[in-house]
Amino acid sequence: QQPVQSPQAVILREGEDAVINCSSSKALYSVHWYRQKHGEAPVFLMILLKGGEQKGHDKISASFNEKKQQSSLYLTASQLSYSGTYFCGTSNRDDKIIFGKGTRLHILP
Amino acid sequence: GAVVSQHPSRVICKSGTSVKIECRSLDFQATTMFWYRQFPKKSLMLMATSNEGSKATYEQGVEKDKFLINHASLTLSTLTVTSAHPEDSSFYICSASSSGESTDTQYFGPGTRLTVL
């Protein structure tokens, strides 16, 4: 079942914060976050496995809620290099990763 | 992070011809490789999962006789688009995983843009 990402697109000015959400109707086994720039391969950001988990560094971090049905990616004090499309990929145990439709992020100088 | 390469990066071919795309893991052994297709501004659509030394597992709606996958070694998987048609034009991306488990990171190749005339 494909996870639902929101928002579909967001435009920020450099230095502003953004939150991208990824949700599922069922409890998940894992959540993977990737960023893809136009015409390039998706680049791995992080993976979350435990309910209530938070990881990342102060600029880019993510959380996985206790019920393991929602994950959020936090971009703090965004930089121009953060522009791209962000995908979450989710899986159930022993199952393949299914990617959401993506969130396009555009950072303005 | 781990490096995955794809070759070629771009290919233009005539309708009816076959095209082979290679996916290599350069600095790790990939037990499992995944092949995706991506349309402009769309998500990654999983086509098939290939495990070294065994037959690929295709997703529903993907023709296995049209998209031939071979995973001959722990560092190489190939996707052959047979008798290509214009509707096969797309961005094809592979990813590689050392274990294939859903908790394991997938490292993506740079993609191959196929244009069928």
Side-chain angles (χ1 to χ4, degrees):
Chain A
Q1 185 178 18
Q2 187 176 39
V4 177
Q5 281 189 241
S6 63
Q8 291 183 349
V10 60
I11 300 175
L12 297 176
R13 292 210 172 271
E14 199 174 5
E16 293 182 334
D17 301 340
V19 180
I20 300 171
N21 299 303
C22 176
S23 64
S24 171
S25 59
K26 296 182 179 180
L28 300 165
Y29 194 63
S30 66
V31 177
H32 306 240
W33 285 99
Y34 288 83
R35 176 173 62 213
Q36 184 182 30
K37 294 187 179 289
H38 180 68
E40 299 179 9
V43 173
F44 173 75
L45 294 176
M46 64 190 82
I47 178 175
L48 298 109
L49 301 173
K50 300 176 183 177
E53 183 178 10
Q54 291 191 327
K55 70 189 313 182
H57 54 77
D58 57 342
K59 294 287 189 181
I60 301 178
S61 61
S63 64
F64 199 8
N65 75 345
E66 289 290 343
K67 289 186 176 181
K68 300 182 74 174
Q69 288 180 265
Q70 182 179 18
S71 177
S72 296
L73 183 71
Y74 305 95
L75 305 170
T76 305
S78 57
Q79 304 169 15
L80 293 175
S81 61
Y82 289 1
S83 290
T85 300
Y86 290 79
F87 290 100
C88 71
T90 60
S91 73
N92 298 109
R93 192 184 185 97
D94 298 330
D95 206 354
K96 56 186 178 286
I97 297 171
I98 300 175
F99 288 90
K101 293 184 177 181
T103 295
R104 293 192 302 280
L105 176 65
H106 188 62
I107 310 293
L108 299 173
Chain B
V3 180
V4 175
S5 70
Q6 269 185 252
H7 178 80
S9 57
R10 289 178 180 271
V11 58
I12 301 172
C13 68
K14 291 184 178 180
S15 187
T17 60
S18 294
V19 175
K20 180 185 282 189
I21 302 170
E22 292 187 348
C23 177
R24 292 181 185 272
S25 57
L26 300 183
D27 52 1
F28 70 104
Q29 293 186 326
T31 303
T32 304
M33 288 187 174
F34 303 88
W35 286 95
Y36 293 86
R37 185 172 177 175
Q38 187 176 35
F39 293 100
K41 296 184 179 180
K42 296 293 183 183
S43 186
L44 299 153
M45 185 192 81
L46 181 64
M47 298 175 65
T49 303
S50 75
N51 292 292
E52 186 265 339
S54 62
K55 290 184 178 180
T57 302
Y58 290 82
E59 295 301 303
Q60 194 172 14
V62 179
E63 298 177 58
K64 62 180 180 181
D65 293 329
K66 180 168 185 62
F67 298 99
L68 300 178
I69 292 172
N70 183 273
H71 194 157
S73 75
L74 287 172
T75 58
L76 173 65
S77 176
T78 60
L79 167 69
T80 301
V81 182
T82 62
S83 186
H85 291 286
E87 58 265 29
D88 297 325
S89 298
S90 192
F91 192 53
Y92 292 88
I93 308 179
C94 72
S95 71
S97 168
S98 57
S99 74
E101 300 286 333
S102 63
T103 55
D104 200 7
T105 300
Q106 287 186 30
Y107 296 98
F108 283 84
T112 296
R113 186 161 302 284
L114 171 63
T115 303
V116 185
L117 303 176

